[in-house]
Amino acid sequence: MSDATTPAPPADLSADLAADPATDLAARAEALDAADELAKLRERFTLPDGVVYLDGNSLGALPAGVADTTSDVVRRQWGELLIRSWDESGWWTAPERIGDKIAPLIGAAPGQVVVGDSTSVNLFKALVGAARLAAPGRTRMLVDAATFPTDGYIAASAARMTGLTVVPVDPSHAAEAMDADTAVVLLNHVDYRTGRLHDLPALTTAARAAGAVTVWDLCHSAGALPVGLDAHAVDLAVGCTYKYLNGGPGAPAYLYIAARHQAAFDSPLPGWNGHADPFAMTPAYEAAQGATRGRVGTPDILSMLALESALDAWDGVSVEAVRAKSLALTDFFLACVAAYVPQGRVESVTPAEHERRGSQVSLRTENAREVMRELIARGVIGDFRAPDVLRFGFTPLYVGYADAERAARTLGHIFG
């Protein structure tokens, strides 16, 4: 995960298309792929032939080394070493070790990220922990009004437990809602439905000025764009690893606890793995030092070590380079959609401005579910979100410009 030079994104296609709508986009895609410094990374993944995969924002592709790693974990580490692997194969330290491997991808120094449990469980820990960190007397928990449903469910439960009241807010106006009564602010870095990127630095600064504790959900940004948790003084964050981090279905999530909060972080799930001396088996709980106190029960080793192997795909890759390609890919895809799809048949609900766009494009259209089924039948895999949104996720480690062009051309064919 070195700081490789960030390639400049290709020139905007708008002027070309305005001057000549018949611009050969397939040839342009081929040239862009040939010049792409990240194109070779596709070799690090196992992808089916003939398929354009634009659903990495739901489930990332399989990194090439994971199958062999998983086989070794099962056959040798478990099958031969048995319980010795907790020490000899490093199973016991995996949550912190893999957390440190994720840390640079989200802009965190070592010792602040612990891997384990699901996003939902980590969000519960973070929200209750945030409420316990907040100044006494505050009564409100601001929650992204358009958040993924589970986040809302967990927030409501955490608020009931801590005596707070959930206040739904549009992240664009969240700063205006933060005041001396705000205890916790829960926001998504990227909206899962529209792909809208929210202003993490500004919103975190506003929350800090109001004395509130921030919790950011990074599920749709980690591995797709720079996050900068430490640089922007985020308090707590959670995220999944099976989207842009390619950890596999149901891969364990992670919890970020800023170093300055670790000594006071009071987890609502004080499991034995988060104990200062787990094998002392004492009846009283004493939290471990550092982010380790975010652990709960026995780690899910099979999926955790698959994730560790999957993160090898990031060796030598900078998040900044990935972000540059992501923006170029989504620009190119939108230009191709404009060229291929009859006017008025689709509407982009993803912001055009780079500073407000994640790494997906969401298009609104009638009969979206049926349209996506037809795209998948023709070898272009995206997904659908009710009631009328087609989602296309662009994972720059393995998606190229020819993929974007084919997807848009296929969409155009479906609309006649």
Side-chain angles (χ1 to χ4, degrees):
M1 301 174 199
S2 65
D3 293 329
T5 301
T6 301
D12 178 50
L13 289 174
S14 303
D16 288 353
L17 291 173
D20 181 11
T23 295
D24 188 340
L25 293 172
R28 184 64 181 269
E30 183 178 357
L32 290 171
D33 280 331
D36 176 21
E37 296 178 16
L38 300 185
K40 61 183 179 296
L41 298 177
R42 190 181 183 116
E43 299 173 356
R44 299 183 181 185
F45 294 86
T46 301
L47 289 157
D49 293 335
V51 169
V52 172
Y53 190 62
L54 300 181
D55 207 8
N57 54 329
S58 285
L59 176 65
L62 172 66
V66 170
D68 287 344
T69 295
T70 303
S71 177
D72 178 70
V73 172
V74 172
R75 296 179 183 278
R76 183 183 64 85
Q77 296 182 31
W78 178 15
E80 297 178 17
L81 296 179
L82 295 167
I83 201 167
R84 291 158 52 197
S85 273
W86 284 106
D87 292 320
E88 295 180 25
S89 300
W91 287 2
W92 186 260
T93 57
E96 293 81 14
R97 183 178 71 245
I98 303 171
D100 283 346
K101 204 167 183 177
I102 291 172
L105 300 177
I106 55 177
Q112 299 177 101
V113 180
V114 63
V115 172
D117 305 310
S118 67
T119 308
S120 300
V121 172
N122 282 317
L123 182 61
F124 177 73
K125 296 179 213 172
L127 287 174
V128 175
R132 292 172 175 174
L133 287 170
R138 295 179 177 235
T139 63
R140 303 197 309 158
M141 177 187 292
L142 304 189
V143 177
D144 187 336
T147 191
F148 190 75
T150 291
D151 284 25
Y153 307 154
I154 296 292
S157 177
R160 288 194 302 272
M161 288 183 60
T162 56
L164 301 180
T165 299
V166 169
V167 179
V169 294
D170 181 333
S172 298
H173 304 290
E176 303 160 21
M178 298 175 194
D179 59 22
D181 202 27
T182 305
V184 179
V185 179
L186 168 63
L187 297 170
N188 293 274
H189 197 188
V190 174
D191 184 272
Y192 79 98
R193 183 182 284 108
T194 66
R196 181 174 66 161
L197 173 64
H198 298 134
D199 193 344
L200 181 148
L203 289 167
T204 302
T205 296
R208 187 167 61 253
V213 180
T214 53
V215 179
W216 282 92
D217 183 328
L218 308 179
C219 285
H220 288 270
S221 60
L225 52 92
V227 177
L229 294 182
D230 286 354
H232 302 301
V234 168
D235 298 309
L236 302 164
V238 301
C240 65
T241 62
Y242 49 77
K243 301 183 190 296
Y244 296 108
L245 297 181
N246 309 295
Y254 57 88
L255 170 65
Y256 164 87
I257 308 172
R260 65 186 179 279
H261 291 309
Q262 289 175 1
F265 182 78
D266 182 8
S267 174
L269 296 173
W272 77 289
N273 261 231
H275 195 283
D277 188 0
F279 292 97
M281 304 297 176
T282 58
Y285 183 75
E286 179 186 349
Q289 296 297 309
T292 300
R293 64 179 53 202
R295 292 174 63 157
V296 184
T298 304
D300 42 353
I301 290 298
L302 299 184
S303 57
M304 190 167 287
L305 297 188
L307 166 63
E308 183 173 30
S309 176
L311 291 170
D312 290 343
W314 285 90
D315 287 351
V317 181
S318 75
V319 180
E320 290 75 18
V322 167
R323 175 59 169 168
K325 182 178 175 181
S326 165
L327 291 171
L329 274 171
T330 48
D331 279 345
F332 183 65
F333 177 69
L334 286 167
C336 291
V337 169
Y340 289 138
V341 178
Q343 189 172 5
R345 299 305 299 272
V346 299
E347 171 196 4
S348 177
V349 297
T350 301
E353 305 93 334
H354 285 183
E355 65 273 14
R356 298 178 59 231
R357 186 195 310 165
S359 198
Q360 73 182 56
V361 173
S362 295
L363 303 176
R364 180 176 288 132
T365 188
E366 294 181 0
N367 302 314
R369 186 189 298 272
E370 290 72 21
V371 172
M372 183 52 68
R373 284 176 177 164
E374 184 61 26
L375 278 169
I376 293 172
R378 298 185 186 203
V380 176
I381 301 176
D383 68 11
F384 159 78
R385 285 293 179 267
D388 56 3
V389 172
L390 306 171
R391 288 199 322 170
F392 302 93
F394 290 83
T395 306
L397 298 186
Y398 54 78
V399 173
Y401 296 92
D403 296 322
E405 187 274 336
R406 178 183 160 190
R409 178 162 37 89
T410 304
L411 187 62
H413 290 164
I414 290 172
F415 283 114

